[in-house]
Amino acid sequence: MAAHAAALALIPARGGSKGVPGKNLQDVGGLPLVVRSIHAAQASHRVTRVVVSTDDHAIAELSRDAGAVVVQRPQSIAGDSASSESALLHALDALACPSQSPNGLEANVVFLQCTSPFTTGAEIDKVLAALDQPKINSSFAVAPWHGFLWRADGEGINHDPNAPRQRRQDLEPSFLETGAIYAMRTTNFRAGGQRFCPPWQPVVLTDPGPEIDTLQDLALCRSLASVLSS
Protein backbone atom coordinates (compact mmCIF):
# COMPACT_ATOMS: atom_id res chain seq x y z
CA MET A 1 0.00 0.00 0.00
CA ALA A 2 1.32 3.44 -0.94
CA ALA A 3 2.32 5.73 1.90
CA HIS A 4 -0.04 8.57 2.62
CA ALA A 5 1.11 12.19 2.75
CA ALA A 6 1.72 13.30 6.33
CA ALA A 7 -0.91 15.57 7.81
CA LEU A 8 -0.72 18.17 10.55
CA ALA A 9 -3.88 18.53 12.66
CA LEU A 10 -4.60 22.11 13.72
CA ILE A 11 -7.22 22.83 16.38
CA PRO A 12 -8.08 26.50 17.04
CA ALA A 13 -9.35 26.77 20.62
CA ARG A 14 -9.58 30.29 21.98
CA GLY A 15 -10.68 30.99 25.52
CA GLY A 16 -13.60 33.33 24.80
CA SER A 17 -17.05 32.44 23.48
CA LYS A 18 -20.34 34.36 23.60
CA GLY A 19 -22.79 31.56 22.78
CA VAL A 20 -21.36 29.02 25.25
CA PRO A 21 -19.05 30.58 27.86
CA GLY A 22 -15.72 28.75 28.12
CA LYS A 23 -16.94 26.52 25.30
CA ASN A 24 -13.73 24.70 24.49
CA LEU A 25 -13.32 23.66 28.14
CA GLN A 26 -16.87 22.37 28.49
CA ASP A 27 -17.16 18.71 29.43
CA VAL A 28 -18.85 16.21 27.11
CA GLY A 29 -18.70 12.55 28.04
CA GLY A 30 -16.11 13.15 30.75
CA LEU A 31 -13.66 15.10 28.57
CA PRO A 32 -13.26 18.81 27.71
CA LEU A 33 -14.16 19.55 24.09
CA VAL A 34 -10.58 20.48 23.17
CA VAL A 35 -9.33 17.13 24.50
CA ARG A 36 -11.98 15.25 22.53
CA SER A 37 -10.68 16.92 19.35
CA ILE A 38 -7.08 16.06 20.25
CA HIS A 39 -8.00 12.43 20.84
CA ALA A 40 -9.83 12.27 17.50
CA ALA A 41 -6.75 13.61 15.69
CA GLN A 42 -4.50 11.16 17.53
CA ALA A 43 -6.76 8.31 16.37
CA SER A 44 -6.18 9.27 12.72
CA HIS A 45 -3.75 7.09 10.76
CA ARG A 46 -2.72 10.06 8.61
CA VAL A 47 -2.07 12.74 11.24
CA THR A 48 1.54 12.94 12.42
CA ARG A 49 1.28 15.96 14.74
CA VAL A 50 -1.55 17.57 16.67
CA VAL A 51 -1.32 21.31 17.35
CA VAL A 52 -3.67 23.49 19.38
CA SER A 53 -3.72 27.26 18.84
CA THR A 54 -4.98 29.06 21.93
CA ASP A 55 -4.80 32.26 23.95
CA ASP A 56 -6.00 30.50 27.10
CA HIS A 57 -3.72 29.10 29.83
CA ALA A 58 -6.13 26.35 30.95
CA ILE A 59 -6.68 25.16 27.38
CA ALA A 60 -2.92 25.17 26.79
CA GLU A 61 -2.27 23.05 29.90
CA LEU A 62 -4.97 20.52 29.04
CA SER A 63 -3.76 20.30 25.45
CA ARG A 64 -0.16 19.62 26.45
CA ASP A 65 -1.29 17.01 28.97
CA ALA A 66 -3.27 15.32 26.17
CA GLY A 67 -0.16 15.17 23.97
CA ALA A 68 -0.67 18.14 21.66
CA VAL A 69 1.80 20.86 20.73
CA VAL A 70 0.55 24.31 21.77
CA VAL A 71 0.98 27.53 19.78
CA GLN A 72 0.26 30.69 21.76
CA ARG A 73 -2.25 32.77 19.82
CA PRO A 74 -1.81 36.57 19.98
CA GLN A 75 -4.71 38.56 21.42
CA SER A 76 -4.97 40.44 18.12
CA ILE A 77 -6.41 37.30 16.49
CA ALA A 78 -8.22 35.85 19.50
CA GLY A 79 -11.35 38.02 19.56
CA ASP A 80 -14.89 37.26 18.38
CA SER A 81 -14.25 38.81 14.97
CA ALA A 82 -11.02 36.89 14.28
CA SER A 83 -11.28 34.25 11.58
CA SER A 84 -10.26 30.64 12.04
CA GLU A 85 -7.98 31.09 9.05
CA SER A 86 -5.98 33.78 10.86
CA ALA A 87 -5.30 31.37 13.73
CA LEU A 88 -4.36 28.55 11.35
CA LEU A 89 -1.98 30.72 9.32
CA HIS A 90 -0.36 32.11 12.47
CA ALA A 91 0.18 28.58 13.78
CA LEU A 92 1.68 27.41 10.49
CA ASP A 93 4.03 30.39 10.42
CA ALA A 94 5.08 29.67 14.01
CA LEU A 95 5.67 26.00 13.20
CA ALA A 96 7.52 26.69 9.96
CA CYS A 97 10.75 27.75 11.67
CA PRO A 98 13.47 25.03 11.59
CA SER A 99 13.62 24.76 15.39
CA GLN A 100 9.93 23.79 15.47
CA SER A 101 9.81 21.73 12.27
CA PRO A 102 13.36 20.71 11.25
CA ASN A 103 11.95 18.57 8.44
CA GLY A 104 9.49 21.20 7.27
CA LEU A 105 5.72 21.33 7.54
CA GLU A 106 3.57 18.31 6.72
CA ALA A 107 2.22 18.20 3.16
CA ASN A 108 -1.38 18.45 4.31
CA VAL A 109 -3.14 20.24 7.14
CA VAL A 110 -6.46 19.19 8.65
CA PHE A 111 -8.46 21.83 10.52
CA LEU A 112 -10.67 20.44 13.31
CA GLN A 113 -13.30 22.32 15.27
CA CYS A 114 -13.89 21.54 18.95
CA THR A 115 -17.58 22.29 18.43
CA SER A 116 -17.97 18.87 16.78
CA PRO A 117 -17.39 16.55 19.75
CA PHE A 118 -18.11 13.26 17.99
CA THR A 119 -15.51 13.53 15.22
CA THR A 120 -13.57 10.27 14.81
CA GLY A 121 -10.13 9.41 13.53
CA ALA A 122 -11.72 7.42 10.72
CA GLU A 123 -13.70 10.48 9.58
CA ILE A 124 -10.54 12.60 9.62
CA ASP A 125 -8.79 9.99 7.49
CA LYS A 126 -11.70 9.91 5.04
CA VAL A 127 -11.59 13.68 4.51
CA LEU A 128 -7.79 13.63 4.16
CA ALA A 129 -8.00 10.74 1.67
CA ALA A 130 -9.63 13.08 -0.85
CA LEU A 131 -6.25 14.84 -1.13
CA ASP A 132 -4.74 11.62 -2.48
CA GLN A 133 -6.22 12.79 -5.79
CA PRO A 134 -3.56 15.05 -7.37
CA LYS A 135 -6.18 17.45 -8.76
CA ILE A 136 -7.85 18.09 -5.37
CA ASN A 137 -6.35 20.83 -3.16
CA SER A 138 -8.88 20.88 -0.32
CA SER A 139 -11.70 18.78 1.08
CA PHE A 140 -14.33 19.13 3.76
CA ALA A 141 -16.93 17.08 5.62
CA VAL A 142 -20.58 17.20 4.57
CA ALA A 143 -23.63 15.25 5.69
CA PRO A 144 -26.69 14.24 3.66
CA TRP A 145 -29.58 16.65 4.09
CA HIS A 146 -33.09 15.29 3.52
CA GLY A 147 -35.59 18.11 3.62
CA PHE A 148 -37.36 20.91 1.79
CA LEU A 149 -35.36 24.15 1.84
CA TRP A 150 -37.03 27.56 1.58
CA ARG A 151 -35.90 31.15 1.22
CA ALA A 152 -37.35 33.80 3.53
CA ASP A 153 -39.37 35.24 0.62
CA GLY A 154 -41.25 31.94 0.16
CA GLU A 155 -39.30 30.64 -2.83
CA GLY A 156 -38.28 27.00 -2.81
CA ILE A 157 -34.54 26.29 -2.95
CA ASN A 158 -34.41 22.58 -3.72
CA HIS A 159 -38.04 22.15 -4.81
CA ASP A 160 -40.80 23.91 -6.76
CA PRO A 161 -43.77 24.76 -4.49
CA ASN A 162 -45.98 25.20 -7.58
CA ALA A 163 -45.36 21.65 -8.80
CA PRO A 164 -46.99 18.54 -7.35
CA ARG A 165 -45.45 17.79 -3.98
CA GLN A 166 -42.49 15.41 -4.24
CA ARG A 167 -41.74 12.72 -1.74
CA ARG A 168 -38.82 13.78 0.43
CA GLN A 169 -36.74 10.78 -0.70
CA ASP A 170 -37.22 11.85 -4.34
CA LEU A 171 -35.61 15.26 -3.85
CA GLU A 172 -32.27 15.86 -5.52
CA PRO A 173 -29.66 14.96 -2.87
CA SER A 174 -28.40 17.90 -0.81
CA PHE A 175 -25.41 17.98 1.51
CA LEU A 176 -24.83 20.16 4.56
CA GLU A 177 -21.34 21.36 5.46
CA THR A 178 -20.76 19.94 8.95
CA GLY A 179 -18.10 22.44 10.08
CA ALA A 180 -16.17 19.59 11.71
CA ILE A 181 -13.28 18.76 9.37
CA TYR A 182 -11.46 20.67 6.63
CA ALA A 183 -8.32 19.41 4.89
CA MET A 184 -5.99 21.43 2.69
CA ARG A 185 -2.66 21.06 0.96
CA THR A 186 -0.41 23.11 3.22
CA THR A 187 1.27 25.04 0.39
CA ASN A 188 -2.03 25.98 -1.24
CA PHE A 189 -3.61 27.04 2.04
CA ARG A 190 -0.66 29.25 3.02
CA ALA A 191 -0.69 30.84 -0.45
CA GLY A 192 -4.43 31.53 -0.59
CA GLY A 193 -5.28 31.94 3.09
CA GLN A 194 -8.70 30.28 2.71
CA ARG A 195 -9.86 26.82 3.78
CA PHE A 196 -11.43 26.29 0.35
CA CYS A 197 -8.48 25.89 -2.01
CA PRO A 198 -9.77 25.12 -5.52
CA PRO A 199 -10.40 22.55 -6.77
CA TRP A 200 -12.12 21.22 -3.64
CA GLN A 201 -14.01 18.04 -2.84
CA PRO A 202 -16.88 17.57 -0.38
CA VAL A 203 -16.61 14.27 1.51
CA VAL A 204 -19.86 12.68 2.68
CA LEU A 205 -19.98 11.47 6.28
CA THR A 206 -23.07 9.43 7.07
CA ASP A 207 -23.47 10.22 10.79
CA PRO A 208 -21.15 13.03 11.95
CA GLY A 209 -23.11 13.97 15.06
CA PRO A 210 -24.34 17.42 16.15
CA GLU A 211 -22.33 20.63 16.37
CA ILE A 212 -22.27 22.85 19.46
CA ASP A 213 -23.26 26.49 18.93
CA THR A 214 -25.67 27.01 21.85
CA LEU A 215 -26.20 25.81 25.41
CA GLN A 216 -29.04 23.64 24.08
CA ASP A 217 -26.60 21.99 21.65
CA LEU A 218 -24.21 21.37 24.55
CA ALA A 219 -26.97 19.71 26.59
CA LEU A 220 -27.91 17.54 23.61
CA CYS A 221 -24.32 16.42 23.08
CA ARG A 222 -23.92 15.60 26.76
CA SER A 223 -27.05 13.47 26.66
CA LEU A 224 -25.92 11.75 23.47
CA ALA A 225 -22.46 11.04 24.93
CA SER A 226 -24.10 9.51 27.99
CA VAL A 227 -26.21 7.21 25.80
CA LEU A 228 -23.27 6.21 23.61
CA SER A 229 -21.09 5.34 26.61
CA SER A 230 -23.75 3.25 28.35
Side-chain angles (χ1 to χ4, degrees):
M1 183 182 293
H4 303 306
L8 170 69
L10 280 180
I11 304 170
R14 66 189 183 90
S17 174
K18 286 186 176 178
V20 181
K23 180 167 58 181
N24 293 315
L25 290 171
Q26 293 289 340
D27 183 285
V28 170
L31 291 171
L33 288 175
V34 66
V35 175
R36 291 183 71 97
S37 290
I38 292 168
H39 286 181
Q42 290 169 336
S44 163
H45 295 296
R46 291 170 175 256
V47 169
T48 54
R49 279 193 299 172
V50 183
V51 176
V52 172
S53 166
T54 188
D55 61 322
D56 185 90
H57 177 71
I59 291 173
E61 272 199 2
L62 281 171
S63 299
R64 291 190 186 97
D65 289 345
V69 174
V70 171
V71 170
Q72 183 68 34
R73 191 191 311 191
Q75 287 300 318
S76 60
I77 55 170
D80 290 334
S81 61
S83 68
S84 295
E85 278 85 350
S86 66
L88 299 176
L89 290 166
H90 170 265
L92 288 174
D93 287 344
L95 293 167
C97 65
S99 63
Q100 291 286 337
S101 303
N103 298 317
L105 292 170
E106 286 84 343
N108 298 328
V109 57
V110 60
F111 159 34
L112 305 176
Q113 301 219 72
C114 300
T115 47
S116 297
F118 300 104
T119 295
T120 67
E123 290 172 340
I124 294 168
D125 286 340
K126 187 174 182 181
V127 174
L128 280 166
L131 302 186
D132 291 345
Q133 305 171 76
K135 66 178 182 179
I136 298 300
N137 289 324
S138 62
S139 55
F140 55 99
V142 299
W145 175 261
H146 306 288
F148 295 91
L149 297 172
W150 292 82
R151 292 189 344 198
D153 63 3
E155 290 294 320
I157 294 174
N158 63 343
H159 63 101
D160 182 359
N162 297 305
R165 185 67 165 184
Q166 294 173 279
R167 297 185 307 166
R168 193 178 70 163
Q169 59 266 39
D170 292 335
L171 288 172
E172 182 178 346
S174 298
F175 299 93
L176 184 69
E177 187 180 327
T178 70
I181 310 168
Y182 301 86
M184 302 83 77
R185 297 194 191 279
T186 306
T187 300
N188 295 73
F189 174 63
R190 294 185 79 194
Q194 298 295 332
R195 72 189 73 180
F196 297 108
C197 309
W200 51 72
Q201 174 69 57
V203 177
V204 180
L205 304 182
T206 54
D207 189 20
E211 186 177 15
I212 297 173
D213 288 318
T214 66
L215 289 171
Q216 290 83 357
D217 296 333
L218 178 61
L220 172 64
C221 287
R222 284 173 169 165
S223 296
L224 183 55
S226 177
V227 170
L228 293 174
S229 63
S230 62

